[in-house]
Amino acid sequence: MVRERLENEPEADRVPDNRTVMTDVLNKAWADIRRRHRSLPRVRMAVTPGKSGSTCGSVMWASDPLLLLDTDTLALPPLDVFAYLLHQAAHALADAARRSEGKEPSLARRGYYHDKCYRDAATELGMEVKKDDAGWSRTTLTPAVKARYTATIQSLAAALDGWEPPLPPRRVARPGKNGLVAVCQCSP
């Protein structure tokens, strides 16, 4: 059940849903990264059910970025979730570098998003970067990064422990061309 906060209701009396709790923690993690890398943009976070497919480069960093985190990503260990956030931060910095060089943001040479700009951005963020078939896409957190963000990673771990992802919309059969309709499970 979804509940709106009344005007005079104290903040502590709100009943947050599990997506709100998770996006709050993810926003705090992003804010921690931004404190150390001021050129990173603010983002809106959204938790999406299931697997959203390839997310590298899918965020438009130029204006009002929306960073999607699917529930499959959030099912990973906390260190991997944080590594995903840093990976996305490297994309944001790489797009800014491309724009400053007069290049098209989010488009890399030879059809991949992990070009030299991405490699340099990931290195700036403290990740170790290796080249593979998709370019400079193999990133790992260095011990220094893990130490620097220990509190943030612990906050993610606490939030992910026992976290239940939101259920996808219920589908019911209906007459028509596609035979299915998504029905929201919440009640206003």
Side-chain angles (χ1 to χ4, degrees), residues 3 16 24 50 85 95 104 113-114 126 133 158 173:
R3 234 176 119 246
D24 286 350
L85 290 175
D95 273 5
E104 186 71 24
Y113 297 99
H114 302 100
D133 292 342

Side-chain angles (χ1 to χ4, degrees), residues 17-79:
D17 72 14
N18 59 357
R19 280 178 290 204
T20 302
V21 170
M22 188 54 63
T23 54
D24 286 350
V25 171
L26 293 166
N27 280 319
K28 287 176 186 173
W30 188 265
D32 192 25
I33 299 167
R34 283 190 76 229
R35 271 192 287 284
R36 292 169 170 87
H37 302 278
R38 295 284 182 188
S39 58
L40 276 176
R42 294 178 190 269
V43 298
R44 293 177 298 127
M45 300 268 184
V47 174
T48 61
K51 181 80 173 144
S52 59
S54 175
T55 55
C56 291
S58 63
V59 178
M60 296 302 295
W61 293 107
S63 63
D64 195 26
L66 173 64
L67 182 53
L68 302 175
L69 283 101
D70 59 55
T71 53
D72 284 2
T73 299
L74 294 173
L76 297 171
L79 201 57

Side-chain angles (χ1 to χ4, degrees), residues 17-182:
D17 72 14
N18 59 357
R19 280 178 290 204
T20 302
V21 170
M22 188 54 63
T23 54
D24 286 350
V25 171
L26 293 166
N27 280 319
K28 287 176 186 173
W30 188 265
D32 192 25
I33 299 167
R34 283 190 76 229
R35 271 192 287 284
R36 292 169 170 87
H37 302 278
R38 295 284 182 188
S39 58
L40 276 176
R42 294 178 190 269
V43 298
R44 293 177 298 127
M45 300 268 184
V47 174
T48 61
K51 181 80 173 144
S52 59
S54 175
T55 55
C56 291
S58 63
V59 178
M60 296 302 295
W61 293 107
S63 63
D64 195 26
L66 173 64
L67 182 53
L68 302 175
L69 283 101
D70 59 55
T71 53
D72 284 2
T73 299
L74 294 173
L76 297 171
L79 201 57
D80 293 342
V81 173
F82 185 74
Y84 175 82
L85 290 175
L86 268 188
H87 186 99
Q88 294 304 317
H91 279 292
L93 293 177
D95 273 5
R98 287 186 199 101
R99 282 193 303 277
S100 72
E101 294 174 4
K103 296 177 184 173
E104 186 71 24
S106 293
L107 298 176
R109 293 181 189 91
R110 291 179 270 156
Y112 55 72
Y113 297 99
H114 302 100
D115 60 0
K116 175 182 71 77
C117 289
Y118 175 83
R119 178 201 64 204
D120 295 346
T123 302
E124 176 187 333
L125 289 165
M127 291 187 286
E128 184 178 303
V129 188
K130 292 183 181 174
K131 195 170 188 179
D132 65 10
D133 292 342
W136 296 96
S137 66
R138 295 291 162 218
T139 55
T140 54
L141 301 180
T142 62
V145 167
K146 292 176 190 176
R148 185 179 312 135
Y149 291 103
T150 297
T152 301
I153 294 165
Q154 288 173 343
S155 293
L156 278 170
L160 290 166
D161 184 38
W163 181 72
E164 291 292 327
L167 296 172
R170 183 171 44 104
R171 292 178 172 245
V172 295
R174 70 171 179 123
K177 293 185 180 191
N178 69 1
L180 293 176
V181 63

